[in-house]
Amino acid sequence: MQFVFSKFEFASIRKLVSFLCILCVLCVSISAQQWKTLKPGIEYAEVRREVSGKDVNMNLLRLDLKKVRLDVHHAKDSAIGTETTSSIATRHKALAAINAGFFRLDTSQFAGDPDGLLVVDGNFLSEASNNRIQLIINNKPTITDVVMARTVLSQSVRLGNETFGVAGVNRERKKDDLVIYTPEFGKMTLTGNEGVEAVIVKGNIVSVSTEVGNTIIPKNGYVISAAGTFAANFTTAVKQNSTVTLIRIWADLPVELVKDREKLDAVAGVPQLIQGGRINITWQDERSSKAFVETRHPRTAVAKLKDGKFLMITVDGRTDASGGIGLQDLAEYLLTLGATDAMNLDGGGSTTMFVNGKIVNHPSDKEGERKVSDAILVTLRK
């Protein structure tokens, strides 16, 4: 018997076959994961699969945000410094955790400075940069809302009739710069003696020092530090005025988060992977590189799922046992898991997942688990 199909019928059959192939991939992906319930609202899975010709090992956490809460914590609960993900999680009695944002990785006193926006309990510890995608967390009484967006922290200080734009928060002051230092930075500003620094408590200027640096940061205030081209005009302004008004604008914050801005957590990643159920890898917008996207690395990522749950994933790499993954392959895999929105976090040697008191993935550094800047912690909702 011979069957003859019209062009319309043939096109319809092709679409059906394509749909069935996608469905098969999805079913295989989900059935292979064998989720294990660790606690109410916390499911864990270990996956080994071939990706673009190499085997990779993945660890996944699927979270019910009505039963757990998410929190961002910086190493040592400060604005700089480093600490292992497992240590951060253990100190805060978390059931699970992953490493989070990119950071300054060196041996200087500024190691651990977040590379992008970092907000903990509404406190701005680091400014946004390079239009990077951000995970914003709002822990409500009965549910945790998560949003992936690009927001901008804008700060300025007004002294009399003059307004000065703030370039940075809690980071190394550069040659021509104006930086605010809050108590989370540490005891002192760690600055050189070529600038001017004003100590502010409750809006009042309590002291001004020039060409001294390394000012003590008050526990109930902050320090404004100016250097280079900023220093001359700022010096004149602080000598002529006794009060300072700090103007802080968190721009482009999604409407549903505006009223809760004083208690939000936020951490930046690079780049966005999925938006609105479609792959959208925005490395160019975020000033990353094609090589970073395409090269197989260990990866850490998060995703919102269609069913309202939240996914954390780590992918091991740089070993014979696990070859790492490029971001296109990672995004495609996340789609099969039902991701509607997803973003990449710091990876490489930083990639770590901590579950039930132990590290469950295999960090790629020869020394073992790397000290990082910050982590996203999972605890049961009380």
Side-chain angles (χ1 to χ4, degrees):
M1 182 179 294
Q2 184 177 5
F3 294 94
V4 178
F5 300 102
S6 68
K7 291 183 179 179
F8 175 78
E9 290 171 324
F10 185 72
S12 298
I13 292 172
R14 287 183 63 184
K15 289 181 180 178
L16 178 61
V17 171
S18 177
F19 171 76
L20 291 174
C21 288
I22 293 173
L23 185 61
C24 287
V25 170
L26 180 60
C27 292
V28 170
S29 178
I30 291 176
S31 62
Q33 288 160 25
Q34 300 176 342
W35 293 101
K36 298 178 182 178
T37 300
L38 304 180
K39 294 285 184 179
I42 304 178
E43 298 173 283
Y44 171 70
E46 296 178 358
V47 177
R48 181 172 175 82
R49 59 178 290 159
E50 182 179 307
V51 178
S52 296
K54 290 187 178 182
D55 289 334
V56 295
N57 295 326
M58 307 182 193
N59 298 81
L60 299 91
L61 284 166
R62 189 165 60 183
L63 308 170
D64 184 343
L65 296 180
K66 293 180 181 178
K67 297 180 179 179
V68 303
R69 61 176 284 147
L70 306 175
D71 292 275
V72 176
H73 287 283
H74 191 280
K76 303 177 181 178
D77 293 329
S78 64
I80 57 174
T82 58
E83 184 180 2
T84 62
T85 298
S86 60
S87 176
I88 298 172
T90 300
R91 286 195 301 102
H92 290 279
K93 297 179 172 59
L95 290 170
I98 56 172
N99 67 292
F102 292 78
F103 61 98
R104 180 168 174 171
L105 180 61
D106 59 21
T107 58
S108 75
Q109 58 190 344
F110 302 101
D113 175 23
D115 191 358
L117 183 71
L118 185 71
V119 182
V120 177
D121 294 331
N123 295 318
F124 290 89
L125 303 187
S126 178
E127 72 274 14
S129 66
N130 294 334
N131 199 34
R132 291 186 167 181
I133 191 69
Q134 301 151 4
L135 177 69
I136 305 173
I137 300 169
N138 183 12
N139 285 303
K140 295 180 178 180
T142 59
I143 192 172
T144 294
D145 288 335
V146 291
V147 175
M148 295 178 195
R150 290 182 177 84
T151 66
V152 177
L153 170 61
S154 172
Q155 295 191 107
S156 58
V157 290
R158 184 185 302 135
L159 293 89
N161 295 323
E162 289 199 65
T163 300
F164 298 85
V166 176
V169 183
N170 293 328
R171 61 160 172 77
E172 181 180 12
R173 191 189 66 189
K174 300 176 183 177
K175 181 179 179 181
D176 296 302
D177 215 350
L178 195 149
V179 178
I180 285 182
Y181 295 97
T182 68
E184 292 86 355
F185 184 77
K187 294 181 179 180
M188 309 182 83
T189 60
L190 304 181
T191 51
N193 59 11
E194 66 279 3
V196 55
E197 299 190 324
V199 177
I200 316 299
V201 176
K202 296 181 180 180
N204 297 309
I205 302 173
V206 298
S207 67
V208 178
S209 60
T210 58
E211 298 183 354
V212 177
N214 208 19
T215 299
I216 296 174
I217 304 170
K219 293 182 179 180
N220 58 343
Y222 57 94
V223 174
I224 305 172
S225 180
T229 56
F230 287 87
N233 290 339
F234 185 74
T235 301
T236 301
V238 294
K239 289 181 177 180
Q240 293 177 347
N241 296 276
S242 59
T243 61
V244 172
T245 301
L246 175 61
I247 303 168
R248 176 178 290 158
I249 300 173
W250 196 353
D252 302 324
L253 191 67
V255 175
E256 65 268 28
L257 298 178
V258 170
K259 67 177 181 180
D260 295 318
R261 71 178 71 190
E262 298 303 320
K263 59 182 181 181
L264 301 178
D265 286 356
V267 64
V270 183
Q272 176 181 273
L273 300 176
I274 298 172
Q275 182 180 31
R278 295 176 180 270
I279 293 177
N280 186 23
I281 302 176
T282 56
W283 64 269
Q284 291 171 302
D285 295 337
E286 301 179 42
R287 299 183 187 179
S288 184
S289 69
K290 187 177 181 181
F292 175 75
V293 171
E294 295 181 348
T295 303
R296 304 184 76 125
H297 290 297
R299 303 285 187 177
T300 303
V302 292
K304 295 175 63 176
L305 304 180
K306 291 178 182 178
D307 61 4
K309 292 183 179 180
F310 187 72
L311 183 78
M312 295 176 166
I313 182 171
T314 58
V315 182
D316 289 342
R318 299 177 182 169
T319 67
D320 293 336
S322 185
I325 195 169
L327 293 185
Q328 179 68 31
D329 283 334
L330 178 56
E332 290 177 3
Y333 180 63
L334 291 173
L335 277 183
T336 71
L337 300 178
T340 59
D341 296 277
M343 59 183 279
N344 184 61
L345 295 168
D346 187 18
S350 298
T351 289
T352 307
M353 181 178 286
F354 174 86
V355 179
N356 272 351
K358 64 179 182 180
I359 301 167
V360 295
N361 75 310
H362 293 86
S364 63
D365 280 2
K366 293 180 180 179
E367 298 77 16
E369 185 185 6
R370 176 183 291 179
K371 291 183 178 181
V372 298
S373 169
D374 43 71
I376 303 171
L377 275 51
V378 181
T379 55
L380 290 177
R381 184 174 295 279
K382 296 181 181 180

